[in-house]
């Protein structure tokens, strides 16, 4: 994959993208701050969310088996998938068994992670995205740049033009309501004719086998109730032990995510119910690197993530570069710690460095993932896995210098010729990367320690 | 009180004025400042860059040098963040914290002529949590006009080696910070971290902005 700095360089040149992102992330973060401030026990809620997730990860083996039994008892079929290939094969087999050449899909990061749509296409099955933003991206062959707002990098006139080319030849307005109406007309018939629906999941309840999804548009409820067959793909970390735990997470998630007190649609289903909703339910439990993450005691907290995207909206890096620079369906700060762990650090070694460690992400995380701390942990792993000889030599020299105050003083003396300059405008590589856009303040004419010694 | 000064490697080399100012402010308030000359760097640069073993050696050095003092002061909240929050050394404080929280002083008897805006650096905001301590100190400085910085809590883009490794992103963040400073029409942007001032000052200087970057300690020391 392209390294983050290289990908970011390209994205940063897109002024429209930066303006869109600024506006959108500012709006969501202001909304979030407002609704979070209303909750008097927000910090206690965060702590409760963290504790539940920690417990889930500590006893994941037991909760998974409990969940499997509960789903089976309620009439569902459980499939275990080691990786993307196995998970995709399950979905394709179910669709094939029902003679479906199209499945209707709700927005799901997990299915994006395993590239389900491409796998289904290879099997001759079209996966229709029914979330408004996902539909836009699908129609244009584009991909998501934000966990919650996948088409955050597009504006409405671009969308109007796209719809005019594809699903609504007569559209002239770019009013949000008209755009939504165009997509609704296009989707409604497809929903009614679909034989198989595909969903992700926000939560799976080990105790009852219940699956929970939260959404804004209602397309998810259509996907999970209209087709006679439903396949739900969920990462193994999505479990909660008890039904009552939803009390914590259904407060944390909407407020952190869309900045709403409650999201418009919350759907819960347990197995199959005679005469109501899908009569065949398949649940795919996906590993795809998650047990490897679980094995790392410091890094595993990345699996606490409930995909709210609050960390993206406050991230000064994400809000400049957008999501595509992160090269994964998980962008922003959470992506910077999740992707390298899921794919292996050697395959995403630049991501843990795509942060100033400003800490804004940790501050808003509803389940208290200490992202800066995990970034440091992964940086050390990245350095071990991938050597950068020039950098390593420079840092070794610095460490050697810092090991002795005498050597440090010598190094300072070597810099003194620069102290005579008023300002430093050009430096050799790699420091030229600093002076390309910034001057450098010259070192002090007299380092502090020299002055201290001379003091009477 | 007898207070040890942790000057930091960047402070020692680039912000010696801020170091001298720190000494002056504390002595003016009647405290004794000592400077353990064995000190060099706390190891933050190595730690943040992924060189954990080198960082661990520098950490051990640092702990040996500073563990014995009742109070250690530093003109850098970022370095304080590393040694207090990661190394667990509770005796280390950033200058504004020491003055306002520990010593209960808000008026240090300073006068400073200028329109000043304050940039709360990320680590002072979210790691050492100095809160409004720097603002309380600035509010008591005679002659100083304090103006609020728009989008103040947003990172300036320094981030240590981030500024080099991700130079373009860092520069985009810096450009927005410099724009915000320009909006305030301040003549001075101040902060409690030399490293962030290196970035902000470098940006302001390159665009020929009327504002300059000055460490809080220097404002507090001026009379």
């Amino acid at each position: 994959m392209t390294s983050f700095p290289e990908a970011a360089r390209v994205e940063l040149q897109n002024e429209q993208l930066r303006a869109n992102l600024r506006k959108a992330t500012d709006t969501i973060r202001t909304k979030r701050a407002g609704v979070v401030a209303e909750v008097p026990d927000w910090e206690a809620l965060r702590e409760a969310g963290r504790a539940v997730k920690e417990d889930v990860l500590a006893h994941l083996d037991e909760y998974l088996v409990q969940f499997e039994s509960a789903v089976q008892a309620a009439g569902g079929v459980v499939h275990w998938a080691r990786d993307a290939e196995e998970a995709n094969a399950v979905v394709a087999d179910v669709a094939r068994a029902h003679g479906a050449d199209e499945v209707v899909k709700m927005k799901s990061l997990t299915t994006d992670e395993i590239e389900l749509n491409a796998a289904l296409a290879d099997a001759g099955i079209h996966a229709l995205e029914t979330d408004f933003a996902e539909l836009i991206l699908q129609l244009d062959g584009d991909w998501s740049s934000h966990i919650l707002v996948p088409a955050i990098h597009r504006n409405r006139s671009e969308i109007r033009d796209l719809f005019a080319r594809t699903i609504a030849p007569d559209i002239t307005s770019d009013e949000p309501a008209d755009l939504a109406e165009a997509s609704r007309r296009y989707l409604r018939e497809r929903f009614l004719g679909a034989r198989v629906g595909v969903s992700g999941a926000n939560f799976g309840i080990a105790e009852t086998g219940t699956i929970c999804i939260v959404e804004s548009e209602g397309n998810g409820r259509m996907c999970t109730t209209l087709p006679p067959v439903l396949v739900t793909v969920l990462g193994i970390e999505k479990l909660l032990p008890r039904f009552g735990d939803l009390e914590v997470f259904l407060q944390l998630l909407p407020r952190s995510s869309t900045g709403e007190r409650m999201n418009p649609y919350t759907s819960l289903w347990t197995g199959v119910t005679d005469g109501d909703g899908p009569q065949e339910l398949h649940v795919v439990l996906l590993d795809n690197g998650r047990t490897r993450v679980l094995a790392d005691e410091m890094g595993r907290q990345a699996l606490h993530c409930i995909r709210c995207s609050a960390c993206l909206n406050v991230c000064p890096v994400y809000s400049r570069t957008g999501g595509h620079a992160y090269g994964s369906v998980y962008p922003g700060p959470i992506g910077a710690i999740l992707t390298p762990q899921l794919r292996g650090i050697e395959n995403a070694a630049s991501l843990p460095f795509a942060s100033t460690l400003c800490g804004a992400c940790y501050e808003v995380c509803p389940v208290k993932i200490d992202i800066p701390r995990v970034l440091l942990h992964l940086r050390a792993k990245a350095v071990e896995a991938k050597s950068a000889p020039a950098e390593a030599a420079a840092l070794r020299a610095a460490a050697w210098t810092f090991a002795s105050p005498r050597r440090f003083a010598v190094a300072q003396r070597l810099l003194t010729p620069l102290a005579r300059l008023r300002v430093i405008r050009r430096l050799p590589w790699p420091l030229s990367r600093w002076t390309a856009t910034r001057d450098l303040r010259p070192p002090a004419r007299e380092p502090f320690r020299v002055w201290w010694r001379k003091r009477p | 009180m007898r207070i040890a000064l942790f000057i930091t490697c960047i402070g020692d080399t680039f912000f010696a004025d801020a170091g001298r100012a720190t000494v002056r402010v504390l002595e003016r308030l009647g405290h004794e400042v000592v400077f353990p000359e064995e000190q060099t760097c706390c190891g933050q640069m190595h730690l943040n860059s992924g060189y954990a073993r080198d960082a661990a050696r520098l950490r051990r050095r640092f702990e040996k040098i500073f563990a014995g003092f009742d109070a250690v002061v530093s003109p850098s909240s970022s370095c304080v963040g590393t040694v207090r929050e990661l190394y667990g050394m509770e005796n280390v404080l950033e200058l504004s914290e020491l003055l306002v929280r520990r010593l209960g002083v808000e008026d240090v008897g300073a006068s400073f002529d200028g329109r000043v805006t304050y940039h709360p650096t990320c680590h002072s905001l979210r790691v050492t949590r100095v809160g409004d301590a720097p603002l309380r100190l600035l509010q008591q400085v005679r002659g100083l006009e304090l103006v609020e910085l728009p989008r103040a809590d947003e990172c300036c883009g320094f981030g240590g080696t981030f500024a080099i490794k991700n130079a373009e992103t860092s520069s985009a963040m810096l450009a927005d910070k410099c724009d915000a400073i320009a909006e305030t029409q301040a003549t001075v942007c101040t902060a409690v971290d030399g490293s962030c001032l290196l970035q902000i000052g470098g940006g302001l200087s390159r665009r020929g902005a009327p504002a300059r970057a000055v460490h809080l300690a220097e404002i507090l020391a001026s009379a």
Side-chain angles (χ1 to χ4, degrees), chain A residues 139 156-173 178-179 182-183:
Chain A
L139 290 171
R156 57 196 224 204
S157 63
E158 289 176 324
I159 295 163
R160 192 251 335 263
D161 297 345
L162 170 68
F163 279 9
R165 284 201 308 276
T166 52
I167 58 168
D170 301 329
I171 193 164
T172 52
S173 156
D178 296 324
L179 295 172
S183 75

Side-chain angles (χ1 to χ4, degrees), chain A residues 53 56-58 60-61 64 80-85 87 108-115 200-202 233-239 284-297 299-307 328-330 334 337-344:
Chain A
K53 282 290 186 177
V56 167
L57 295 181
L60 191 57
D61 50 346
L64 280 167
W80 297 81
R82 242 182 301 255
D83 53 22
E85 205 182 323
S108 148
L109 285 158
T110 310
T111 59
D112 288 343
E113 174 194 324
I114 59 177
E115 298 180 29
N202 290 100
V233 183
L234 80 159
I236 52 172
E237 83 284 16
K238 292 282 177 71
L239 296 191
V284 184
L285 288 166
L286 176 75
D287 184 336
N288 208 32
R290 285 162 175 77
T291 46
R292 178 167 52 191
V293 185
L294 191 61
D296 183 327
E297 275 183 47
R300 72 164 64 136
Q301 52 184 307
L303 297 177
H304 291 188
C305 177
I306 56 172
R307 313 282 188 258
S328 150
V329 296
Y330 304 114
I334 186 63
I337 61 168
L338 197 53
T339 308
Q341 297 197 84
L342 287 173
R343 292 190 190 164

Side-chain angles (χ1 to χ4, degrees), chain A residues 107 130-138 148-152 217:
Chain A
K107 177 178 170 304
T130 63
D131 173 83
F132 183 62
E134 292 286 357
L135 174 67
I136 292 165
L137 299 178
Q138 186 173 45
L148 174 76
V149 199
I152 197 168
E217 296 174 18

Side-chain angles (χ1 to χ4, degrees), chain A residues 418-437:
Chain A
L418 291 174
R420 279 192 288 273
L421 300 171
R422 201 184 57 80
V423 65
I424 300 166
R425 291 190 178 277
R426 284 181 74 161
L427 284 167
W429 189 88
L431 296 174
S432 55
R433 298 178 55 66
W434 175 282
T435 50
T437 57

